[in-house]
Amino acid sequence: MEALKIEILNPKALQLIKEMQDLNLIKVTTEPVSKLQSYLKKMRKNASSVPSLDEIATIVEEVRVERYAKK
C-alpha cells in the first residue's frame, strides 16, 4: 500500500475522490496540522535559512530552563 498527500485545487476533484472511496478503491484519512507546523511553514517561505524542528525544540528548552531557574 502506498500513501500519498494530495492538495485538491478543483472542488470537482473532491467529488471524484469521494466516489472512488465509495467504490472501495481508495481510503481517505485526514491528518491534523498543528498550529506550530502551519506557522513554521508560513515563516519559512521567505526565510534564507530554515531551522529544523529539533533546533527549535532545543532553543525552547534552553529558554524554559533559563526562565524556571530564576524562580
Side-chain angles (χ1 to χ4, degrees):
M1 181 170 80
E2 189 174 345
L4 303 172
K5 179 180 178 183
I6 300 172
E7 290 186 33
I8 299 173
L9 302 177
N10 186 332
K12 292 179 184 178
L14 183 58
Q15 182 61 35
L16 291 172
I17 290 172
K18 287 181 181 179
E19 290 173 4
M20 289 173 44
Q21 186 177 10
D22 292 340
L23 294 171
N24 291 326
L25 297 174
I26 61 171
K27 178 181 176 184
V28 177
T29 57
T30 57
E31 292 183 17
V33 178
S34 73
K35 289 183 181 181
L36 174 61
Q37 287 178 335
S38 298
Y39 179 74
L40 289 176
K41 185 176 180 182
K42 179 181 171 184
M43 295 305 292
R44 287 177 175 165
K45 285 182 182 178
N46 298 325
S48 59
S49 64
V50 179
S52 69
L53 287 176
D54 292 332
E55 292 172 332
I56 294 170
T58 303
I59 294 169
V60 169
E61 282 301 315
E62 289 172 1
V63 170
R64 285 180 180 161
V65 167
E66 204 175 286
R67 178 180 294 163
Y68 295 122
K70 291 180 181 178
K71 293 182 179 181

